[in-house]
Amino acid sequence: MNGGGAPALVDAVPVALFEADPDMVIGAANARMAEMLGLPMEEIVGRSFRSFLTRSSQFVYALKAEPSLVTRRATEETFLELDHRDGRPRAVLLTVRPDADRQERLYGALFAAPERRAYELELIAARRLAVENLEALERAQGALQDANAELARLVDERTAALAQRDLLLREVYHRVKNNLQVVDGLLMMHARKIRDPAGTAAFDDVRKRVFALGLVHHQLMGSADLKTFDIGAFLSELTMHLQAGAPDNVTLKIDCSPLKVDLDFAVPLGLLITELVTNAMKHAFPSGGGEIAVALEGPVEGEMALRVSDTGVGLPAAAEDAKPSLGLAIVKGLVRQLGGRIETGEGDGVRWEARLPAPSVA
Amino acid sequence: MPKSVFSRKRSSTSDDAILKAHAVGEVGSGEPALVLLHGFGADQAIWRRLTHRFAETRRVILYDQMGCGASDLAHYDPERYRTLEGYADDLVEILDALRLRDATVVAHSVGGMIALLASLRTDRIARLAMIGASPRYLNDGAYEGGFELQDVEDFLGMMELDFQGWAKTLAPQVMDQPDRPELVEELVYSFSRANADLSRRFAKATFMSDHRARLGECALPTLLLQTRVDAVVPLTAARFLADHMPNARLEILDARGHYPQLSAPDAVFAAVETFLAETTG
Amino acid sequence: MLHPDRVLIVDDEFIITETLRIYVEDLGLEVCGTAATADAAVDMALAQKPFLVLMDVRLQGERDGVDAALAIHEQVGAKVIFITGSREPATLTRIQSDHPAGILFKPISEGQLVSTIQRLRAEASEGA
């Protein structure tokens, strides 16, 4: 390139410069161009620019640079690889412009772009990573959606199953109560046929026990989970019923802190209280009235304390020698069933105190 | 041909959809109609120096191959466009939608083989003109396609390396806004990601293809135009086409490069008009 | 005019109607009939004009005790004591819609029934 007054500058710049005709046949080049190609100047001038490219770059050049060179006599920053004589391709960016006055004269520049490949590779890797992340995210979201749908389905299934279970439980409790009413009716009718007062009393005792069982199921039906209920409401209904069968001058008092219980605890407890109260009514007040007090306290250190006391005459002296009564056998059996122990003591009258493991209700 | 029977039954709604998906446009009037088919790395704008000249005496149809130019990428199906067959199906469907008869297809580069495949499955095409076409780009024994497998793989690698550059060369044509570089710039970024992948797939479908065995099936009058120097298609490949297509004539244009419709539009125009005069009427 | 001593008992369980009959008769009242379905209960109430109906909720047939009670309430004007094994909120709401004279839950005791009936009779004689 014998350009004007600054040939030294033209050869010193770190850019390959050349002049070409419209077919991109090289007319002149600077020293830097020879250096980039590893060729002497005489092997550069007069040759087609395309012939300096690697085979694949010729492809790129023909498809990408040529159409714009044909139509605009220009191309910008086309990424190509020069086929250097040492066999190691040199990455360059090709920019071509036509001479402002003479369109058939083209000026070209080749900028060394050794980092370009690494840079583009980084871009590609970043792009792939971004796409992969995006896809992973989409997959994760898809999986999450699937999981949510599955969960919703399970919840629906469970809800339906629970509703079905509730329906069945209510039906069962309903039938139990109805059947207990039938049993009570039968007992009542039989009791009326009996002339012996002791026999009538025995039937009454059984009916009280049956009623206690019915009350437990009544409480269960009213509870939200159909499994547990508050013992307080149950005991006050139970004592109200027992009071109704008691002489007017005997009063029944209940003192109970709120406690969530289930069937397994409430049935034996209800029967136990029925037994103890009935017993007190029968024996404590042979003449005149008094008070029967029922107290359920706790839990303290996992134990409930049940106290049934009366202001009556105390235990009959002969009780220890006599054949154990059915009532007492039931009391002991129920306490055993509840996993507790029971003691009797003398106060004003008879005082029963049972220690029962607190019900473990979630 | 079952394909075209099926196509005739298609509703006009789906015809419209096909035409829209490929940005089909037309100018001029007169039979037989001429369809201009672009090649790899271009779109219908590659014909800008010839379209109106051809349209002076006939109806001229142009469109963008799927994944190129203004085609609707929503219709892009990677499986369909894995080989050139999918592109040929597109051409057949467009001809059906337009109900063309006795059509001339002028096809550039890989468009040539797409047109050939299409002509084997429709009777709507009456003659072909191929510019810079090749039945196979890879060398194979005595056959000289011009490239070794490694060259093509390097090329695909370079394409990927410079995907923004590829998008940039196409963007001004797509946008038709060369005076507003900021719009072009913006388009390059939105366009480049999809375009890079699609271009790479089109490149693979193109440069890995081998249609030598199909050439004998096409007996249509065919004009083969080839420049003296074409870095993409060696003269040997053009000669192979001429030797194996029963009714083809090869004409060497006094021009260089792969894009004579840009660099030597007069020569291309004259050759095609002569061919049409010989083969019509 | 309703018969102030007549009681109609509606339940589809024989032992229960008989149990209730004994409690009612012990009070010196007359059981004018027992019914196991809602339709029979309404017919009987229309024919016998009892002042009180003891009504189970679950009955044989399509209509239940609440349906029967509403009809009896409207067509006869008798008071209704519901005697039910159910505690379901939906059932209770329906029962309440009839403004019942009383609701007793099975198993009921004689004492509960007797005191409820006595309260009703006292209210009736005060009103009269």
PDB file of all heavy atoms in Angstrom, chain A residues 170-171 174 177-178 181-182 185-186 188 192 207 211 218 221 241, chain C residues 13 15 19 22-23 26 58 85-88 105-109:
ATOM      1  N   ARG A 170     -71.727 -41.400  62.106  1.00  0.00           N
ATOM      2  CA  ARG A 170     -72.992 -40.832  62.608  1.00  0.00           C
ATOM      3  C   ARG A 170     -74.107 -41.865  62.541  1.00  0.00           C
ATOM      4  O   ARG A 170     -74.931 -41.992  63.456  1.00  0.00           O
ATOM      5  CB  ARG A 170     -73.388 -39.612  61.766  1.00  0.00           C
ATOM      6  CG  ARG A 170     -72.619 -38.364  62.116  1.00  0.00           C
ATOM      7  CD  ARG A 170     -73.078 -37.203  61.230  1.00  0.00           C
ATOM      8  NE  ARG A 170     -72.078 -36.174  61.141  1.00  0.00           N
ATOM      9  CZ  ARG A 170     -71.851 -35.278  62.092  1.00  0.00           C
ATOM     10  NH1 ARG A 170     -72.578 -35.290  63.183  1.00  0.00           N
ATOM     11  NH2 ARG A 170     -70.899 -34.385  61.948  1.00  0.00           N
ATOM     12  N   GLU A 171     -74.094 -42.603  61.426  1.00  0.00           N
ATOM     13  CA  GLU A 171     -75.109 -43.635  61.251  1.00  0.00           C
ATOM     14  C   GLU A 171     -74.985 -44.678  62.359  1.00  0.00           C
ATOM     15  O   GLU A 171     -75.982 -45.084  62.968  1.00  0.00           O
ATOM     16  CB  GLU A 171     -74.938 -44.271  59.859  1.00  0.00           C
ATOM     17  CG  GLU A 171     -75.920 -45.366  59.521  1.00  0.00           C
ATOM     18  CD  GLU A 171     -77.349 -44.855  59.425  1.00  0.00           C
ATOM     19  OE1 GLU A 171     -77.533 -43.649  59.170  1.00  0.00           O
ATOM     20  OE2 GLU A 171     -78.274 -45.673  59.641  1.00  0.00           O
ATOM     21  N   HIS A 174     -76.004 -43.284  65.674  1.00  0.00           N
ATOM     22  CA  HIS A 174     -77.459 -43.133  65.655  1.00  0.00           C
ATOM     23  C   HIS A 174     -78.127 -44.466  65.968  1.00  0.00           C
ATOM     24  O   HIS A 174     -79.042 -44.560  66.777  1.00  0.00           O
ATOM     25  CB  HIS A 174     -77.879 -42.606  64.276  1.00  0.00           C
ATOM     26  CG  HIS A 174     -79.322 -42.261  64.175  1.00  0.00           C
ATOM     27  ND1 HIS A 174     -80.265 -43.171  63.775  1.00  0.00           N
ATOM     28  CD2 HIS A 174     -79.978 -41.112  64.440  1.00  0.00           C
ATOM     29  CE1 HIS A 174     -81.453 -42.586  63.798  1.00  0.00           C
ATOM     30  NE2 HIS A 174     -81.303 -41.331  64.195  1.00  0.00           N
ATOM     31  N   LYS A 177     -77.627 -45.589  69.572  1.00  0.00           N
ATOM     32  CA  LYS A 177     -78.533 -44.886  70.491  1.00  0.00           C
ATOM     33  C   LYS A 177     -79.957 -45.427  70.382  1.00  0.00           C
ATOM     34  O   LYS A 177     -80.645 -45.627  71.387  1.00  0.00           O
ATOM     35  CB  LYS A 177     -78.510 -43.384  70.193  1.00  0.00           C
ATOM     36  CG  LYS A 177     -77.237 -42.728  70.697  1.00  0.00           C
ATOM     37  CD  LYS A 177     -77.096 -41.320  70.187  1.00  0.00           C
ATOM     38  CE  LYS A 177     -78.276 -40.467  70.590  1.00  0.00           C
ATOM     39  NZ  LYS A 177     -78.131 -39.074  70.221  1.00  0.00           N
ATOM     40  N   ASN A 178     -80.376 -45.645  69.172  1.00  0.00           N
ATOM     41  CA  ASN A 178     -81.721 -46.170  68.970  1.00  0.00           C
ATOM     42  C   ASN A 178     -81.865 -47.557  69.610  1.00  0.00           C
ATOM     43  O   ASN A 178     -82.862 -47.859  70.270  1.00  0.00           O
ATOM     44  CB  ASN A 178     -82.010 -46.244  67.469  1.00  0.00           C
ATOM     45  CG  ASN A 178     -83.436 -45.857  67.136  1.00  0.00           C
ATOM     46  OD1 ASN A 178     -83.862 -44.754  67.496  1.00  0.00           O
ATOM     47  ND2 ASN A 178     -84.175 -46.753  66.527  1.00  0.00           N
ATOM     48  N   GLN A 181     -82.085 -47.357  73.252  1.00  0.00           N
ATOM     49  CA  GLN A 181     -83.443 -46.959  73.636  1.00  0.00           C
ATOM     50  C   GLN A 181     -84.361 -48.184  73.641  1.00  0.00           C
ATOM     51  O   GLN A 181     -85.206 -48.345  74.522  1.00  0.00           O
ATOM     52  CB  GLN A 181     -83.973 -45.922  72.639  1.00  0.00           C
ATOM     53  CG  GLN A 181     -85.360 -45.384  72.997  1.00  0.00           C
ATOM     54  CD  GLN A 181     -85.287 -44.279  74.041  1.00  0.00           C
ATOM     55  OE1 GLN A 181     -84.738 -43.218  73.766  1.00  0.00           O
ATOM     56  NE2 GLN A 181     -85.807 -44.542  75.229  1.00  0.00           N
ATOM     57  N   VAL A 182     -84.168 -49.041  72.642  1.00  0.00           N
ATOM     58  CA  VAL A 182     -84.965 -50.270  72.577  1.00  0.00           C
ATOM     59  C   VAL A 182     -84.666 -51.157  73.784  1.00  0.00           C
ATOM     60  O   VAL A 182     -85.579 -51.666  74.453  1.00  0.00           O
ATOM     61  CB  VAL A 182     -84.687 -51.035  71.259  1.00  0.00           C
ATOM     62  CG1 VAL A 182     -85.300 -52.421  71.295  1.00  0.00           C
ATOM     63  CG2 VAL A 182     -85.222 -50.235  70.074  1.00  0.00           C
ATOM     64  N   GLY A 185     -86.237 -49.782  76.809  1.00  0.00           N
ATOM     65  CA  GLY A 185     -87.676 -50.026  76.785  1.00  0.00           C
ATOM     66  C   GLY A 185     -87.994 -51.452  77.218  1.00  0.00           C
ATOM     67  O   GLY A 185     -88.913 -51.690  78.018  1.00  0.00           O
ATOM     68  N   LEU A 186     -87.211 -52.405  76.696  1.00  0.00           N
ATOM     69  CA  LEU A 186     -87.435 -53.807  77.054  1.00  0.00           C
ATOM     70  C   LEU A 186     -87.228 -54.029  78.548  1.00  0.00           C
ATOM     71  O   LEU A 186     -88.015 -54.701  79.223  1.00  0.00           O
ATOM     72  CB  LEU A 186     -86.478 -54.712  76.258  1.00  0.00           C
ATOM     73  CG  LEU A 186     -86.815 -54.851  74.762  1.00  0.00           C
ATOM     74  CD1 LEU A 186     -85.663 -55.528  74.026  1.00  0.00           C
ATOM     75  CD2 LEU A 186     -88.106 -55.644  74.576  1.00  0.00           C
ATOM     76  N   MET A 188     -87.454 -51.823  80.865  1.00  0.00           N
ATOM     77  CA  MET A 188     -88.531 -51.149  81.594  1.00  0.00           C
ATOM     78  C   MET A 188     -89.778 -52.024  81.635  1.00  0.00           C
ATOM     79  O   MET A 188     -90.412 -52.197  82.681  1.00  0.00           O
ATOM     80  CB  MET A 188     -88.816 -49.805  80.919  1.00  0.00           C
ATOM     81  CG  MET A 188     -89.849 -48.932  81.581  1.00  0.00           C
ATOM     82  SD  MET A 188     -91.516 -49.231  80.943  1.00  0.00           S
ATOM     83  CE  MET A 188     -91.343 -48.565  79.285  1.00  0.00           C
ATOM     84  N   ARG A 192     -91.519 -53.892  85.003  1.00  0.00           N
ATOM     85  CA  ARG A 192     -92.892 -53.634  85.449  1.00  0.00           C
ATOM     86  C   ARG A 192     -93.662 -54.911  85.743  1.00  0.00           C
ATOM     87  O   ARG A 192     -94.697 -54.869  86.393  1.00  0.00           O
ATOM     88  CB  ARG A 192     -93.626 -52.831  84.386  1.00  0.00           C
ATOM     89  CG  ARG A 192     -93.032 -51.426  84.305  1.00  0.00           C
ATOM     90  CD  ARG A 192     -93.944 -50.490  83.575  1.00  0.00           C
ATOM     91  NE  ARG A 192     -93.397 -49.150  83.747  1.00  0.00           N
ATOM     92  CZ  ARG A 192     -94.146 -48.080  83.959  1.00  0.00           C
ATOM     93  NH1 ARG A 192     -95.456 -48.170  84.011  1.00  0.00           N
ATOM     94  NH2 ARG A 192     -93.586 -46.906  84.128  1.00  0.00           N
ATOM     95  N   ARG A 207     -80.712 -50.246  83.853  1.00  0.00           N
ATOM     96  CA  ARG A 207     -81.165 -49.170  82.959  1.00  0.00           C
ATOM     97  C   ARG A 207     -80.284 -47.930  83.076  1.00  0.00           C
ATOM     98  O   ARG A 207     -80.045 -47.228  82.091  1.00  0.00           O
ATOM     99  CB  ARG A 207     -82.622 -48.820  83.252  1.00  0.00           C
ATOM    100  CG  ARG A 207     -83.583 -49.911  82.783  1.00  0.00           C
ATOM    101  CD  ARG A 207     -85.013 -49.520  83.042  1.00  0.00           C
ATOM    102  NE  ARG A 207     -85.407 -48.366  82.245  1.00  0.00           N
ATOM    103  CZ  ARG A 207     -86.520 -47.667  82.467  1.00  0.00           C
ATOM    104  NH1 ARG A 207     -87.326 -48.005  83.470  1.00  0.00           N
ATOM    105  NH2 ARG A 207     -86.828 -46.651  81.714  1.00  0.00           N
ATOM    106  N   PHE A 211     -78.255 -46.230  80.120  1.00  0.00           N
ATOM    107  CA  PHE A 211     -78.389 -44.799  79.824  1.00  0.00           C
ATOM    108  C   PHE A 211     -77.015 -44.133  79.730  1.00  0.00           C
ATOM    109  O   PHE A 211     -76.775 -43.288  78.859  1.00  0.00           O
ATOM    110  CB  PHE A 211     -79.235 -44.120  80.902  1.00  0.00           C
ATOM    111  CG  PHE A 211     -79.569 -42.702  80.552  1.00  0.00           C
ATOM    112  CD1 PHE A 211     -80.663 -42.418  79.743  1.00  0.00           C
ATOM    113  CD2 PHE A 211     -78.792 -41.642  81.012  1.00  0.00           C
ATOM    114  CE1 PHE A 211     -80.976 -41.120  79.406  1.00  0.00           C
ATOM    115  CE2 PHE A 211     -79.087 -40.336  80.668  1.00  0.00           C
ATOM    116  CZ  PHE A 211     -80.199 -40.072  79.874  1.00  0.00           C
ATOM    117  N   HIS A 218     -74.192 -40.143  72.515  1.00  0.00           N
ATOM    118  CA  HIS A 218     -74.812 -38.855  72.238  1.00  0.00           C
ATOM    119  C   HIS A 218     -73.742 -37.754  72.193  1.00  0.00           C
ATOM    120  O   HIS A 218     -73.755 -36.886  71.320  1.00  0.00           O
ATOM    121  CB  HIS A 218     -75.853 -38.555  73.319  1.00  0.00           C
ATOM    122  CG  HIS A 218     -76.643 -37.308  73.041  1.00  0.00           C
ATOM    123  ND1 HIS A 218     -77.443 -37.177  71.932  1.00  0.00           N
ATOM    124  CD2 HIS A 218     -76.731 -36.134  73.730  1.00  0.00           C
ATOM    125  CE1 HIS A 218     -78.005 -35.979  71.951  1.00  0.00           C
ATOM    126  NE2 HIS A 218     -77.591 -35.333  73.028  1.00  0.00           N
ATOM    127  N   MET A 221     -71.698 -38.038  68.963  1.00  0.00           N
ATOM    128  CA  MET A 221     -72.377 -37.528  67.772  1.00  0.00           C
ATOM    129  C   MET A 221     -72.312 -36.021  67.681  1.00  0.00           C
ATOM    130  O   MET A 221     -72.359 -35.458  66.584  1.00  0.00           O
ATOM    131  CB  MET A 221     -73.847 -37.934  67.790  1.00  0.00           C
ATOM    132  CG  MET A 221     -74.097 -39.221  67.070  1.00  0.00           C
ATOM    133  SD  MET A 221     -75.850 -39.470  66.948  1.00  0.00           S
ATOM    134  CE  MET A 221     -76.143 -38.944  65.290  1.00  0.00           C
ATOM    135  N   HIS A 241     -79.211 -36.964  85.063  1.00  0.00           N
ATOM    136  CA  HIS A 241     -80.063 -38.138  84.920  1.00  0.00           C
ATOM    137  C   HIS A 241     -80.136 -38.940  86.217  1.00  0.00           C
ATOM    138  O   HIS A 241     -81.205 -39.375  86.657  1.00  0.00           O
ATOM    139  CB  HIS A 241     -79.537 -39.020  83.791  1.00  0.00           C
ATOM    140  CG  HIS A 241     -80.285 -40.304  83.628  1.00  0.00           C
ATOM    141  ND1 HIS A 241     -81.589 -40.343  83.172  1.00  0.00           N
ATOM    142  CD2 HIS A 241     -79.944 -41.591  83.900  1.00  0.00           C
ATOM    143  CE1 HIS A 241     -82.012 -41.590  83.142  1.00  0.00           C
ATOM    144  NE2 HIS A 241     -81.032 -42.377  83.580  1.00  0.00           N
TER     145      HIS A 241
ATOM    146  N   GLU C  13     -89.941 -47.892  65.335  1.00  0.00           N
ATOM    147  CA  GLU C  13     -89.408 -48.985  66.153  1.00  0.00           C
ATOM    148  C   GLU C  13     -90.480 -49.366  67.182  1.00  0.00           C
ATOM    149  O   GLU C  13     -90.817 -48.575  68.061  1.00  0.00           O
ATOM    150  CB  GLU C  13     -88.137 -48.497  66.850  1.00  0.00           C
ATOM    151  CG  GLU C  13     -87.260 -49.582  67.405  1.00  0.00           C
ATOM    152  CD  GLU C  13     -86.359 -50.210  66.345  1.00  0.00           C
ATOM    153  OE1 GLU C  13     -85.601 -49.470  65.684  1.00  0.00           O
ATOM    154  OE2 GLU C  13     -86.444 -51.445  66.169  1.00  0.00           O
ATOM    155  N   ILE C  15     -90.667 -51.388  69.817  1.00  0.00           N
ATOM    156  CA  ILE C  15     -90.371 -51.369  71.252  1.00  0.00           C
ATOM    157  C   ILE C  15     -90.370 -49.933  71.778  1.00  0.00           C
ATOM    158  O   ILE C  15     -90.805 -49.646  72.889  1.00  0.00           O
ATOM    159  CB  ILE C  15     -88.996 -52.027  71.535  1.00  0.00           C
ATOM    160  CG1 ILE C  15     -89.017 -53.505  71.097  1.00  0.00           C
ATOM    161  CG2 ILE C  15     -88.622 -51.918  73.013  1.00  0.00           C
ATOM    162  CD1 ILE C  15     -89.945 -54.390  71.887  1.00  0.00           C
ATOM    163  N   THR C  19     -92.664 -48.349  74.635  1.00  0.00           N
ATOM    164  CA  THR C  19     -92.058 -47.727  75.813  1.00  0.00           C
ATOM    165  C   THR C  19     -92.700 -46.370  76.073  1.00  0.00           C
ATOM    166  O   THR C  19     -93.124 -46.045  77.192  1.00  0.00           O
ATOM    167  CB  THR C  19     -90.545 -47.546  75.594  1.00  0.00           C
ATOM    168  OG1 THR C  19     -89.976 -48.802  75.258  1.00  0.00           O
ATOM    169  CG2 THR C  19     -89.876 -46.987  76.843  1.00  0.00           C
ATOM    170  N   ILE C  22     -96.222 -46.546  77.450  1.00  0.00           N
ATOM    171  CA  ILE C  22     -96.308 -46.793  78.893  1.00  0.00           C
ATOM    172  C   ILE C  22     -96.098 -45.498  79.673  1.00  0.00           C
ATOM    173  O   ILE C  22     -96.841 -45.166  80.599  1.00  0.00           O
ATOM    174  CB  ILE C  22     -95.272 -47.865  79.306  1.00  0.00           C
ATOM    175  CG1 ILE C  22     -95.717 -49.228  78.747  1.00  0.00           C
ATOM    176  CG2 ILE C  22     -95.097 -47.926  80.814  1.00  0.00           C
ATOM    177  CD1 ILE C  22     -94.659 -50.311  78.801  1.00  0.00           C
ATOM    178  N   TYR C  23     -95.037 -44.712  79.262  1.00  0.00           N
ATOM    179  CA  TYR C  23     -94.764 -43.459  79.959  1.00  0.00           C
ATOM    180  C   TYR C  23     -95.971 -42.526  79.869  1.00  0.00           C
ATOM    181  O   TYR C  23     -96.377 -41.883  80.842  1.00  0.00           O
ATOM    182  CB  TYR C  23     -93.541 -42.741  79.358  1.00  0.00           C
ATOM    183  CG  TYR C  23     -92.233 -43.482  79.531  1.00  0.00           C
ATOM    184  CD1 TYR C  23     -91.162 -43.245  78.679  1.00  0.00           C
ATOM    185  CD2 TYR C  23     -92.048 -44.407  80.575  1.00  0.00           C
ATOM    186  CE1 TYR C  23     -89.962 -43.900  78.831  1.00  0.00           C
ATOM    187  CE2 TYR C  23     -90.850 -45.070  80.723  1.00  0.00           C
ATOM    188  CZ  TYR C  23     -89.815 -44.825  79.859  1.00  0.00           C
ATOM    189  OH  TYR C  23     -88.635 -45.464  80.016  1.00  0.00           O
ATOM    190  N   ASP C  26     -98.955 -43.752  81.900  1.00  0.00           N
ATOM    191  CA  ASP C  26     -98.702 -43.571  83.335  1.00  0.00           C
ATOM    192  C   ASP C  26     -99.074 -42.170  83.787  1.00  0.00           C
ATOM    193  O   ASP C  26     -99.355 -41.923  84.954  1.00  0.00           O
ATOM    194  CB  ASP C  26     -97.222 -43.826  83.652  1.00  0.00           C
ATOM    195  CG  ASP C  26     -96.944 -45.310  83.813  1.00  0.00           C
ATOM    196  OD1 ASP C  26     -97.897 -46.109  83.647  1.00  0.00           O
ATOM    197  OD2 ASP C  26     -95.782 -45.674  84.078  1.00  0.00           O
ATOM    198  N   ARG C  58     -86.318 -39.972  62.040  1.00  0.00           N
ATOM    199  CA  ARG C  58     -86.135 -40.957  60.973  1.00  0.00           C
ATOM    200  C   ARG C  58     -87.287 -41.932  60.956  1.00  0.00           C
ATOM    201  O   ARG C  58     -87.561 -42.601  61.953  1.00  0.00           O
ATOM    202  CB  ARG C  58     -84.859 -41.751  61.229  1.00  0.00           C
ATOM    203  CG  ARG C  58     -83.669 -41.083  60.641  1.00  0.00           C
ATOM    204  CD  ARG C  58     -82.674 -42.142  60.317  1.00  0.00           C
ATOM    205  NE  ARG C  58     -81.353 -41.588  60.482  1.00  0.00           N
ATOM    206  CZ  ARG C  58     -80.262 -42.258  60.205  1.00  0.00           C
ATOM    207  NH1 ARG C  58     -80.349 -43.525  59.814  1.00  0.00           N
ATOM    208  NH2 ARG C  58     -79.110 -41.694  60.354  1.00  0.00           N
ATOM    209  N   GLY C  85     -82.527 -39.688  67.556  1.00  0.00           N
ATOM    210  CA  GLY C  85     -81.195 -40.223  67.830  1.00  0.00           C
ATOM    211  C   GLY C  85     -80.127 -39.380  67.162  1.00  0.00           C
ATOM    212  O   GLY C  85     -78.942 -39.566  67.375  1.00  0.00           O
ATOM    213  N   SER C  86     -80.573 -38.444  66.334  1.00  0.00           N
ATOM    214  CA  SER C  86     -79.613 -37.680  65.534  1.00  0.00           C
ATOM    215  C   SER C  86     -79.191 -36.398  66.252  1.00  0.00           C
ATOM    216  O   SER C  86     -79.950 -35.817  67.016  1.00  0.00           O
ATOM    217  CB  SER C  86     -80.250 -37.315  64.196  1.00  0.00           C
ATOM    218  OG  SER C  86     -79.416 -36.425  63.501  1.00  0.00           O
ATOM    219  N   ARG C  87     -77.959 -35.989  65.981  1.00  0.00           N
ATOM    220  CA  ARG C  87     -77.524 -34.667  66.433  1.00  0.00           C
ATOM    221  C   ARG C  87     -76.960 -33.883  65.273  1.00  0.00           C
ATOM    222  O   ARG C  87     -76.237 -32.916  65.464  1.00  0.00           O
ATOM    223  CB  ARG C  87     -76.434 -34.794  67.496  1.00  0.00           C
ATOM    224  CG  ARG C  87     -76.968 -35.092  68.863  1.00  0.00           C
ATOM    225  CD  ARG C  87     -75.874 -35.058  69.877  1.00  0.00           C
ATOM    226  NE  ARG C  87     -75.420 -33.714  70.175  1.00  0.00           N
ATOM    227  CZ  ARG C  87     -74.766 -33.398  71.275  1.00  0.00           C
ATOM    228  NH1 ARG C  87     -74.510 -34.332  72.177  1.00  0.00           N
ATOM    229  NH2 ARG C  87     -74.362 -32.167  71.498  1.00  0.00           N
ATOM    230  N   GLU C  88     -77.232 -34.330  64.048  1.00  0.00           N
ATOM    231  CA  GLU C  88     -76.648 -33.651  62.893  1.00  0.00           C
ATOM    232  C   GLU C  88     -77.208 -32.238  62.780  1.00  0.00           C
ATOM    233  O   GLU C  88     -78.424 -32.030  62.881  1.00  0.00           O
ATOM    234  CB  GLU C  88     -76.959 -34.420  61.616  1.00  0.00           C
ATOM    235  CG  GLU C  88     -76.006 -35.582  61.431  1.00  0.00           C
ATOM    236  CD  GLU C  88     -76.521 -36.577  60.421  1.00  0.00           C
ATOM    237  OE1 GLU C  88     -76.529 -36.237  59.248  1.00  0.00           O
ATOM    238  OE2 GLU C  88     -76.927 -37.676  60.847  1.00  0.00           O
ATOM    239  N   PHE C 105     -83.234 -36.280  73.125  1.00  0.00           N
ATOM    240  CA  PHE C 105     -82.309 -37.137  72.395  1.00  0.00           C
ATOM    241  C   PHE C 105     -82.320 -38.540  72.968  1.00  0.00           C
ATOM    242  O   PHE C 105     -82.267 -38.747  74.171  1.00  0.00           O
ATOM    243  CB  PHE C 105     -80.894 -36.548  72.446  1.00  0.00           C
ATOM    244  CG  PHE C 105     -80.793 -35.232  71.721  1.00  0.00           C
ATOM    245  CD1 PHE C 105     -80.756 -34.036  72.419  1.00  0.00           C
ATOM    246  CD2 PHE C 105     -80.771 -35.199  70.335  1.00  0.00           C
ATOM    247  CE1 PHE C 105     -80.678 -32.826  71.751  1.00  0.00           C
ATOM    248  CE2 PHE C 105     -80.701 -33.992  69.654  1.00  0.00           C
ATOM    249  CZ  PHE C 105     -80.656 -32.799  70.359  1.00  0.00           C
ATOM    250  N   LYS C 106     -82.370 -39.500  72.055  1.00  0.00           N
ATOM    251  CA  LYS C 106     -82.329 -40.903  72.461  1.00  0.00           C
ATOM    252  C   LYS C 106     -80.939 -41.237  72.973  1.00  0.00           C
ATOM    253  O   LYS C 106     -79.961 -40.769  72.398  1.00  0.00           O
ATOM    254  CB  LYS C 106     -82.643 -41.806  71.274  1.00  0.00           C
ATOM    255  CG  LYS C 106     -84.096 -41.751  70.826  1.00  0.00           C
ATOM    256  CD  LYS C 106     -84.287 -42.637  69.615  1.00  0.00           C
ATOM    257  CE  LYS C 106     -85.716 -42.487  69.077  1.00  0.00           C
ATOM    258  NZ  LYS C 106     -85.886 -43.195  67.806  1.00  0.00           N
ATOM    259  N   PRO C 107     -80.760 -42.083  73.985  1.00  0.00           N
ATOM    260  CA  PRO C 107     -81.886 -42.662  74.713  1.00  0.00           C
ATOM    261  C   PRO C 107     -82.469 -41.654  75.692  1.00  0.00           C
ATOM    262  O   PRO C 107     -81.721 -40.989  76.401  1.00  0.00           O
ATOM    263  CB  PRO C 107     -81.237 -43.839  75.448  1.00  0.00           C
ATOM    264  CG  PRO C 107     -79.791 -43.457  75.602  1.00  0.00           C
ATOM    265  CD  PRO C 107     -79.456 -42.562  74.464  1.00  0.00           C
ATOM    266  N   ILE C 108     -83.786 -41.583  75.735  1.00  0.00           N
ATOM    267  CA  ILE C 108     -84.418 -40.655  76.670  1.00  0.00           C
ATOM    268  C   ILE C 108     -84.789 -41.418  77.938  1.00  0.00           C
ATOM    269  O   ILE C 108     -84.973 -42.630  77.923  1.00  0.00           O
ATOM    270  CB  ILE C 108     -85.685 -40.012  76.066  1.00  0.00           C
ATOM    271  CG1 ILE C 108     -86.740 -41.088  75.740  1.00  0.00           C
ATOM    272  CG2 ILE C 108     -85.355 -39.188  74.842  1.00  0.00           C
ATOM    273  CD1 ILE C 108     -88.135 -40.515  75.652  1.00  0.00           C
ATOM    274  N   SER C 109     -84.901 -40.685  79.000  1.00  0.00           N
ATOM    275  CA  SER C 109     -85.345 -41.325  80.247  1.00  0.00           C
ATOM    276  C   SER C 109     -86.810 -40.952  80.472  1.00  0.00           C
ATOM    277  O   SER C 109     -87.295 -39.972  79.907  1.00  0.00           O
ATOM    278  CB  SER C 109     -84.486 -40.827  81.405  1.00  0.00           C
ATOM    279  OG  SER C 109     -84.736 -39.445  81.628  1.00  0.00           O
TER     280      SER C 109
END
